[in-house]
Amino acid sequence: MRALLHHGFADARVRRVLADTAHDNVASQRVLEKAGLRRTLSDEKLHYYAVEG
């Protein structure tokens, strides 16, 4: 995930990366958080994450 973010942010057109995961997918939430994404919003089905480069 970190390598993918690094590759994306190497392109000046990429300013933000967004992701989402189900509430019960704790493993994916940990991967996103370890890569630097922060939870920005939650609804009844998903948690939403973002990071800016």
Side-chain angles (χ1 to χ4, degrees):
M1 182 61 150
R2 289 181 188 162
L4 181 61
L5 289 171
H6 179 75
H7 179 74
F9 287 133
D11 184 329
R13 297 172 293 178
V14 177
R15 291 191 251 161
R16 181 172 47 175
V17 172
L18 305 173
D20 60 66
T21 182
H23 286 235
D24 63 350
N25 195 343
V26 176
S28 289
Q29 293 167 26
R30 287 184 181 150
V31 168
L32 293 171
E33 290 170 356
K34 283 186 176 185
L37 283 84
R38 296 291 169 243
R39 188 180 304 173
T40 58
L41 183 67
S42 295
D43 62 23
E44 63 279 347
K45 294 182 181 182
L46 298 172
H47 293 305
Y48 299 89
Y49 291 80
V51 65
E52 300 205 12

